[in-house]
Amino acid sequence: MKTDCARECVGGVTRRADGSLGELAPLPHGTVLAQVKSPQISKVVLLEGADHFGGWLRSTRREDGAVFEHGPRGVRPVGAMGRNTLNMVSELGLESEVLPVPSDHVASKNRFLFFKGQLHKMPSGLGGLLRTVPPFSRPLLQSILKEIVVKRGTAEDETVHAFVARRLGVELADIVIDCLCRGVFAGDCRQLSVRSCFPSLFNAERTRGSIVLGMVLGTGEERAARILHIYTDFRSGPRVTPSDLAKRSAKESWTQWSLKRGMQTLPEALEDALRRTERVEVHRSAPAKGLSRVGSGWEVKLEDGTVKADHIISAVPAHVLGSLLPPAAKSLSQQLQKIAMVSIALVNLEYEGTVLPVTGFGHLVPSSEDRGVLGVVYDSVAFPQHNRPGTTTTRITVMMGGAWFQEEFGKPERLAEQELLGRATEVVRAHLGLTVEPHWSYVTVLKDCIPQYHVGHWKRLENIGRCITEHSLPLTLAGASYDGVSVNDVIFSGRRAAESLVGKV
Ligand SMILES: Cc1cc2nc3c(=O)[nH]c(=O)nc-3n(C[C@H](O)[C@H](O)[C@H](O)COP(=O)(O)OP(=O)(O)OC[C@H]3O[C@@H](n4cnc5c(N)ncnc54)[C@H](O)[C@@H]3O)c2cc1C
Ligand SMILES: C=Cc1c2[nH]c(c1C)Cc1[nH]c(c(CCC(=O)O)c1C)Cc1[nH]c(c(C)c1CCC(=O)O)Cc1[nH]c(c(C)c1C=C)C2
């Protein structure tokens, strides 16, 4: 949670001698909008509930040099959002830390599906579209060509499954789209909204009458991005001037990138930069416990003090914000709390030697095959630089649960590590034929880690926006709960929120 204190505000935060947070004598508030629209923000107070910044960006750096990701492991460089993140990486001085994956890398070219007990390479290139490739019953090109003449839908929103079944056929919806939604949202394509999860597909149908025509007639960048990926959300977004690093990523056709010491390096570098910035106060282990309106601003209740602020940028999950708002904002709270979250059980495994039967990014599992197992990432293929130096090892990550967590595993807080490790090793035995024991493992349950944009999410966002405007709440929303769950999306949402207060920077 970020609180902005404009010049005239200013309650603020001090650290007591014992390190806890105390309140400064509050000074008079002026009108919030007049203050926050002014570029002269006197202070920004950043409140992080956990003892580290970065939320799900967590990396284990083992003493022997191996790196394991427990959250995101690759960021896409394409589009305005991708450039924006790379620009930030440059500004933070992390260029030399970047590990790019070019488009001709095997991790960019090969993705697999585990269907009917077998691994199948996802079709790619023209050949893959022309031929009948198992597990599909006919050439994908047939479905693609037919799509052009399918009548435009009229619904304001529908499930991703219904949309794709209608336009491209049930087989693609049941297998490919089911997998895609699991591999991005850990979600159920029969509940997720096409309008909010894949706005580019929804808009292509609306504006061009067809997904295929939308892709063909899109901008050059959109077309290029589409060719490079199986799935690309070709939202072009606002113009972002590319840094040298972003230009390099385009020139070298990167499909994703990571950082030498893991993705956690990014929030660490950001924290360091913020601590060096004047008028910015950064607090860890400082969870917001409640919000109340004081004058035209807010009072944020902490465990051991309060902070007064003219404006709040909330980057906590929607349901958390909903639980913090005062009773007077009941309808806003209710809307926020309706944005569902799912949990993931994640198991990192390390093996001695090269043990994978195939190479590529990883494989996804459709819900018809195994509801509980979402997919397996072959980390050491995309990022061998994270392997223990001087040895040949294989690192993989098994992801389980998502929208099926409760029915498959019960409550996230009740799970035994051993049970999850057992399930994960069983998965790699059945899917990849790995019968040897892993040399090292790490089990974690990421509770409520990915928001679910269910059908009607767009309407909920409209209602949320209306509640904020109607009650003139000095509140801006950012983070994964609203308009995109990728690392790029959430970083961009933070930037947009800040710019809505101080103007374009
Ligand atoms: C397993 C996994 C794999 C993923 N893989 C990828 C990938 O490969 N590529 C990609 O682009 N994206 C990926 N994502 C998605 C992406 O990582 C997340 O959507 C994104 O990091 C969410 O960022 P956020 O800041 O919105 O939310 P969070 O990371 O949830 O951060 C919210 C922060 O708010 C803090 N907070 C909570 N309550 C309070 C409170 N009361 N007071 C103060 N602070 C509070 C939390 O401690 C946390 O630091 C993945 C996600 C997961 C879970
Ligand atoms: C099996 C579960 C998951 C895997 N990754 C994620 C989950 C839930 C989370 C995730 N993965 C990606 C994103 C960002 C999307 C974006 O817009 O940038 C998120 C939130 C990247 C991604 N991973 C896969 C796809 C198709 C994408 C989209 C972008 C792209 O095309 O690169 C596929 C995939 N994810 C996982 C596996 C095992 C897998 C496929 C082989 C893990």
Side-chain angles (χ1 to χ4, degrees):
M1 165 136 344
K2 233 186 205 170
T3 63
D4 285 346
C5 297
R7 191 152 44 113
E8 297 83 347
C9 139
V10 168
V13 188
T14 49
R15 277 215 180 267
R16 296 198 190 100
D18 64 0
S20 62
L21 298 174
E23 189 189 348
L24 276 184
L27 298 174
H29 286 69
T31 61
V32 173
L33 278 177
Q35 289 173 6
V36 296
K37 284 280 179 217
S38 145
Q40 295 162 327
I41 284 179
S42 66
K43 196 194 289 180
V44 176
V45 181
L46 187 59
L47 300 173
E48 168 53 58
D51 62 359
H52 63 275
F53 282 96
W56 300 114
L57 280 83
R58 294 289 273 166
S59 319
T60 288
R61 294 139 179 170
R62 240 178 24 199
E63 272 183 12
D64 60 12
V67 176
F68 296 85
E69 299 290 7
H70 310 309
R73 53 217 55 237
V75 180
R76 292 197 292 152
V78 292
M81 320 270 173
R83 280 197 292 278
N84 179 61
T85 308
L86 282 173
N87 290 358
M88 190 174 92
V89 166
S90 287
E91 281 167 31
L92 293 171
L94 294 174
E95 286 104 329
S96 60
E97 295 292 305
V98 173
L99 300 175
V101 181
S103 58
D104 57 1
H105 192 284
V106 71
S108 305
K109 292 197 288 194
N110 294 354
R111 283 172 185 187
F112 299 87
L113 299 175
F114 185 76
F115 187 62
K116 301 229 160 105
Q118 277 186 344
L119 281 179
H120 300 276
K121 184 172 162 320
M122 285 288 293
S124 59
L126 197 57
L129 296 181
L130 290 171
R131 277 181 285 115
T132 300
V133 187
F136 305 103
S137 60
R138 55 187 148 142
L140 293 183
L141 194 66
Q142 243 182 46
S143 316
I144 291 172
L145 291 178
K146 273 190 182 166
E147 194 272 342
I148 298 173
V149 295
V150 172
K151 247 179 51 202
R152 213 182 284 240
T154 51
E156 285 188 318
D157 194 3
E158 64 187 312
T159 69
V160 184
H161 186 275
F163 177 88
V164 173
R166 186 165 59 70
R167 299 211 61 85
L168 287 157
V170 175
E171 190 173 73
L172 274 175
D174 281 351
I175 305 175
V176 179
I177 294 306
D178 182 284
C179 281
L180 178 61
C181 289
R182 281 155 72 86
V184 176
F185 295 92
D188 183 352
C189 64
R190 290 162 184 82
Q191 293 187 58
L192 292 175
S193 146
V194 68
R195 181 168 177 161
S196 300
C197 296
F198 300 101
S200 51
L201 302 188
F202 181 80
N203 290 331
E205 186 188 51
R206 280 210 157 172
T207 57
R208 314 269 189 197
S210 145
I211 309 173
V212 176
L213 290 181
M215 283 168 194
V216 174
L217 303 173
T219 64
E221 183 181 62
E222 289 164 2
R223 278 199 306 273
R226 179 68 221 156
I227 289 159
L228 287 176
H229 297 279
I230 294 168
Y231 148 75
T232 290
D233 180 357
F234 49 94
R235 257 181 298 194
S236 48
R239 288 195 88 75
V240 173
T241 312
S243 57
D244 286 346
L245 185 65
K247 283 185 195 150
R248 196 187 130 204
S249 83
K251 195 163 158 242
E252 295 173 9
S253 316
W254 301 356
T255 57
Q256 56 170 323
W257 56 267
S258 179
L259 296 165
K260 282 182 187 160
R261 288 173 42 74
M263 286 308 303
Q264 199 181 317
T265 313
L266 192 58
E268 286 170 350
L270 201 49
E271 181 186 357
D272 287 350
L274 288 175
R275 288 195 187 278
R276 291 194 302 270
T277 308
E278 266 178 53
R279 295 182 291 152
V280 176
E281 262 185 34
V282 180
H283 300 274
R284 295 167 178 225
S285 304
K289 292 288 181 186
L291 300 173
S292 43
R293 295 300 310 277
V294 175
S296 55
W298 296 98
E299 184 173 84
V300 184
K301 191 165 173 281
L302 302 173
E303 268 163 0
D304 52 3
T306 56
V307 183
K308 288 211 168 58
D310 283 342
H311 197 99
I312 289 178
I313 295 177
S314 167
V316 299
H319 69 100
V320 174
L321 176 63
S323 71
L324 296 175
L325 285 167
K330 191 171 163 208
S331 61
L332 176 57
S333 284
Q334 282 172 343
Q335 293 289 334
L336 289 165
Q337 283 173 324
K338 280 187 187 147
I339 300 177
M341 302 291 288
V342 296
S343 304
I344 293 182
L346 185 143
V347 181
N348 302 97
L349 298 168
E350 181 189 40
Y351 294 87
E352 296 291 352
T354 309
V355 294
L356 289 170
V358 290
T359 55
F361 180 78
H363 70 261
L364 285 166
V365 184
S367 58
S368 56
E369 187 76 16
D370 186 335
R371 290 162 82 78
V373 179
L374 303 170
V376 183
V377 188
Y378 313 155
D379 300 291
S380 51
V381 176
F383 301 111
Q385 302 90 335
H386 287 165
N387 290 351
R388 195 169 75 223
T391 52
T392 317
T393 53
T394 302
R395 292 172 304 106
I396 60 180
T397 306
V398 181
M399 297 198 193
M400 300 179 283
W404 300 263
F405 199 103
Q406 192 88 10
E407 69 177 63
E408 286 283 317
F409 300 104
K411 291 213 179 315
E413 43 287 299
R414 294 231 186 104
L415 270 174
E417 268 187 27
Q418 211 48 43
E419 185 191 331
L420 291 172
L421 180 59
R423 181 86 180 254
T425 48
E426 174 51 27
V427 166
V428 295
R429 192 197 55 73
H431 296 193
L432 299 165
L434 304 190
T435 47
V436 284
E437 285 297 304
H439 167 77
W440 184 87
S441 61
Y442 183 96
V443 180
T444 179
V445 175
L446 312 174
K447 189 171 178 303
D448 296 337
C449 63
I450 302 202
Q452 303 292 288
Y453 305 161
H454 287 159
V455 172
H457 182 76
W458 70 278
K459 195 87 200 153
R460 186 159 293 140
L461 293 191
E462 268 190 11
N463 291 338
I464 288 171
R466 197 171 313 117
C467 283
I468 293 175
T469 315
E470 275 172 8
H471 295 96
S472 306
L473 293 179
L475 173 67
T476 308
L477 305 178
S481 294
Y482 311 102
D483 196 21
V485 300
S486 73
V487 170
N488 288 330
D489 291 324
V490 302
I491 289 174
F492 199 81
S493 76
R495 176 182 174 151
R496 207 167 26 208
E499 285 182 349
S500 72
L501 300 181
V502 298
K504 246 184 150 23
V505 282

